[in-house]
Amino acid sequence: MSSLQEQPLRRRGQREADSSTHTANERQALVTDTDADKYDHRRGVPATVSAAQTPKAVNQFDFYDRVISLALTLVSLFTRLYQIGKRDIVTWDETHFGKFGAHYLNRTFYHDVHPPLAKMLVGLGELLSGHNGSFTYASGAVYPDHVNYTFQRGY
């Protein structure tokens, strides 16, 4: 019984099955007891097949996945960072989150209903950009020269 066709086909819970009485779809669902645990689901081939014997389509699929992921990442970075420093005024949520980050830099207590991790990260971005916490981030205010708002937005 060296080949798969010579081995008796069995469905889970059945002792024996006659392959000639089953349709092609049913034969696909049938597995042998010895080969059921030898299937590599990650590669989509029997575990006895070495990586060198793996069909090229499996390896190319991984390559194309990486290329598509890289292309989507580059496009998203471009759309996120393109002209990010064009407006030099406090815009949208910068009023709130910039203020929260400045509170962390000044070690000033304030109360907010949301968890603090995002605001701590905003404070870290302000610290890395050289901000000293003195700017109040009033809505529509023009950023002073000592605030590197382009780095803060990109961070």
Side-chain angles (χ1 to χ4, degrees):
M1 289 195 180
S2 60
S3 72
L4 248 124
Q5 294 167 345
E6 294 175 327
Q7 295 177 0
L9 297 172
R10 297 179 187 176
R11 191 183 299 262
R12 290 186 189 143
Q14 286 184 343
R15 288 274 182 205
E16 292 182 18
D18 183 12
S19 62
S20 63
T21 61
H22 297 285
T23 65
N25 290 337
E26 289 174 329
R27 267 189 237 118
Q28 222 172 16
L30 297 172
V31 293
T32 60
D33 289 339
T34 56
D35 291 335
D37 56 332
K38 295 181 182 177
Y39 191 78
D40 188 351
H41 294 283
R42 185 179 60 82
R43 290 190 302 152
V45 295
T48 56
V49 175
S50 69
Q53 295 172 329
T54 303
K56 285 186 175 182
V58 173
N59 293 331
Q60 287 176 349
F61 184 73
D62 290 339
F63 173 75
Y64 290 130
D65 279 348
R66 289 185 182 121
V67 168
I68 290 170
S69 297
L70 179 65
L72 288 174
T73 301
L74 292 175
V75 167
S76 66
L77 280 173
F78 175 76
T79 59
R80 170 70 178 111
L81 299 175
Y82 179 70
Q83 294 187 352
I84 196 165
K86 188 174 183 178
R87 293 181 51 127
D88 63 345
I89 62 172
V90 178
T91 308
W92 197 245
D93 281 347
E94 293 172 351
T95 301
H96 305 290
F97 289 102
K99 190 183 327 176
F100 294 149
H103 285 305
Y104 276 105
L105 290 179
N106 293 329
R107 299 174 188 260
T108 308
F109 175 77
Y110 72 97
H111 177 71
D112 186 41
V113 296
H114 300 291
L117 180 62
K119 291 172 232 26
M120 289 177 174
L121 290 174
V122 169
L124 176 64
E126 291 179 14
L127 181 69
L128 292 175
S129 70
H131 180 51
N132 59 9
S134 62
F135 183 59
T136 60
Y137 292 92
S139 182
V142 177
Y143 281 104
D145 292 334
H146 69 276
V147 177
N148 187 356
Y149 62 92
T150 303
F151 179 82
Q152 291 177 11
R153 288 177 182 168
Y155 177 76

